[in-house]
Amino acid sequence: MAKESFDKEIQFLRMLVLTSGAYNRQQFADRLGISVHTFDKTIRRLKDIAETVQQPAAEEQNKAIADMLRTSYYETADPLLLFLFRSKSLKESESYRLSLLISSLQEQALTPLELLDLCCEGMPEELALPDEKTIRSDLKYLEQAGVIRRLPGGRPNKYTAHNDFVNVLSDEELSDLYAFVDVMANTQVPSVQGYLLRDSLKKAMKRRQLPDGASDLFLYKYHYHSRILDEAHLYTIMRAIESRRKLSFHYFTPKSNQSYHSKNTNPMFVKPSEGRLTEILPLKVAYDHQYGRWYLLGYSSGRSQVAIFRMEGITQLEESGLVTEEEYAAKLAALERNTSFSWLVDLGRPVTVKVRFFNPEGAKRNFIKDRVQLQGQWGVITEEDGASFLFEITVNGTQEIKPWLRSFGSSCEVLEPVSLRREFIKEWKELAAYYEPVRKNIQLPDDGTA
């Protein structure tokens, strides 16, 4: 993904989406831990990237950011959250150059020298012109990425866009593929690649002037699509796990008033940061589909114990020292022991939860039991009758299992532990209080409607 860090831009975009732009410039800068001047520079940088990626006409350039902020409720693949990935975190000259190469190869096959001439003609005057070595390096990178392919034959080599997969599909097959990718990208674990494939297929359909039928068939919204930004860290983390390397980063807890810390090189302008410098040996990555959160699990060097971090709080992520295969295996075994009863990543004290689930009345299928058996992990059904069944599971603490139990509503009654039962009773009493009439003399009809 990144040839340079985009932490600041990622944190800015996340705040913009989650707050709907409710902060002013000073509040944004304070939350990011930067100056208003740096905030303004970040805005300009985002605008430049948007214009480079989208290549708008001159009269439409000022609308680029505004169009990205204008979201459709059901358009989960929000371009605002994706265009940093689409830009590949490249320098401005690289962004222009690769865009020119890809667009030039869409219609015809060209040699490196022909592409060099096209790039020199199309590059803006203020940017440095490439040489033949640079163009060949770019072509090798694009070929490895699967964006272009080299045609068979002798020298000089010719390249063309790798669009065969879409081009060989009939109109009906292309529409069916888009509908499938649209559903999967919006209902499974968020993935940059899934959304980019969805957008590419949509463009292919527009070129053929095909209607976007999937938008009429499937309407839904994934509420945590801002978490897609956390994928920027995934590739660094997975590479570190594979190579048995430690990671160092600045971490901001969810309760922190800041989400980023500027890298000040002048000691006169160094500001205090709420983030803490952390070094861990990464062991696993977990995703909470219920809340749309990524977690990094590893062994903390400073605290000499298993540690868990919310990925949206990680900034300035870098690889550090190597560890031996024996040390890695020992730390992974310790993590497995500590999380063997974790509903997700909780490291609390193991406790047995007993729940009574009530079967749906008059339903052809017992969808309550089906869901419990599908999602209940290692829990077991211990007793069963025609009206209900008992479910038992041992988990590390009760905090993470609560949202799952709560989602069953009146079809679920928590029996043990007593402390968890009391928590649910308190919550439902608070909910009931919200729906009490403000005026005591209001007479409600028999059907319960106001």
Side-chain angles (χ1 to χ4, degrees), residues 47-56 82-88 95 99 203:
K47 183 178 179 181
D48 289 342
I49 294 173
E51 293 173 357
T52 300
V53 172
Q54 296 183 349
Q55 295 288 328
L82 290 173
F83 80 101
L84 282 181
F85 290 91
R86 200 183 288 279
S87 72
K88 294 296 295 180
S95 297
S99 297
K203 290 178 181 178

Side-chain angles (χ1 to χ4, degrees), residues 137-157:
S137 175
D138 290 339
L139 291 173
K140 182 179 180 181
Y141 165 73
L142 292 174
E143 186 179 10
Q144 290 175 341
V147 178
I148 66 174
R149 64 184 179 89
R150 182 168 42 183
L151 296 179
R155 293 182 178 275
N157 293 321

Side-chain angles (χ1 to χ4, degrees), residues 239-252:
R239 184 172 62 245
I241 292 175
E242 290 177 0
S243 60
R244 309 304 192 233
R245 283 190 175 274
K246 294 182 179 180
L247 290 172
S248 63
F249 51 85
H250 282 268
Y251 183 67
F252 296 83

Side-chain angles (χ1 to χ4, degrees), residues 196-397:
L196 295 183
L197 175 59
R198 175 184 181 273
D199 289 349
S200 297
L201 293 174
K202 179 181 285 188
K203 290 178 181 178
M205 294 176 65
K206 286 183 178 179
R207 286 195 296 268
R208 297 192 192 183
Q209 298 182 341
L210 297 176
D212 181 9
S215 62
D216 300 326
L217 296 174
F218 311 108
L219 296 177
Y220 38 61
K221 182 173 178 64
Y222 186 81
H223 292 281
Y224 303 108
H225 54 274
S226 64
R227 304 303 182 194
I228 197 172
L229 293 171
D230 297 326
E231 286 196 31
H233 297 314
L234 277 181
Y235 308 103
T236 303
I237 293 172
M238 299 308 294
R239 184 172 62 245
I241 292 175
E242 290 177 0
S243 60
R244 309 304 192 233
R245 283 190 175 274
K246 294 182 179 180
L247 290 172
S248 63
F249 51 85
H250 282 268
Y251 183 67
F252 296 83
T253 67
K255 297 180 181 180
S256 172
N257 292 323
Q258 291 182 1
S259 60
Y260 177 79
H261 177 59
S262 59
K263 302 177 184 179
N264 294 305
T265 56
N266 190 331
M268 295 182 61
F269 295 95
V270 173
K271 296 181 179 180
S273 170
E274 295 188 19
R276 69 174 186 267
L277 183 61
T278 304
E279 184 181 62
I280 71 163
L281 174 63
L283 299 170
K284 276 189 176 182
V285 172
Y287 180 73
D288 181 1
H289 197 275
Q290 183 110 16
Y291 284 115
R293 293 171 182 160
W294 289 98
Y295 292 90
L296 170 61
L297 293 76
Y299 192 85
S300 173
S301 303
R303 292 184 286 177
S304 300
Q305 62 183 15
V306 172
I308 300 170
F309 302 91
R310 289 256 292 269
M311 211 173 288
E312 73 257 31
I314 294 176
T315 65
Q316 302 175 31
L317 183 65
E318 295 179 353
E319 292 184 358
S320 53
L322 280 165
V323 300
T324 63
E325 194 67 35
E326 292 74 17
E327 182 180 354
Y328 174 84
K331 298 297 190 291
L332 181 60
L335 175 68
E336 297 287 0
R337 289 193 300 271
N338 280 274
T339 59
S340 58
F341 292 112
S342 298
W343 181 260
L344 182 66
V345 295
D346 201 335
L347 299 177
R349 179 178 58 85
V351 58
T352 299
V353 177
K354 295 183 180 180
V355 182
R356 180 178 298 280
F357 288 96
F358 297 94
N359 299 325
E361 296 181 3
K364 293 182 179 180
R365 287 189 59 182
N366 191 341
F367 56 87
I368 298 295
K369 183 179 178 181
D370 289 346
R371 184 182 165 197
V372 170
Q373 290 178 323
L374 177 65
Q375 302 175 350
Q377 304 204 59
W378 55 87
V380 294
I381 295 175
T382 57
E383 296 180 24
E384 188 172 4
D385 57 36
S388 64
F389 59 91
L390 290 178
F391 174 78
E392 293 187 16
I393 185 171
T394 300
V395 290
N396 286 348

Side-chain angles (χ1 to χ4, degrees), residues 83-100:
F83 80 101
L84 282 181
F85 290 91
R86 200 183 288 279
S87 72
K88 294 296 295 180
S89 301
L90 300 174
K91 298 176 182 177
E92 187 177 9
S93 60
E94 291 173 314
S95 297
Y96 272 103
R97 195 171 62 246
L98 292 186
S99 297
L100 286 171

Side-chain angles (χ1 to χ4, degrees), residues 442-445 447-450:
I442 293 180
Q443 193 72 27
L444 294 177
D447 61 1
T449 61

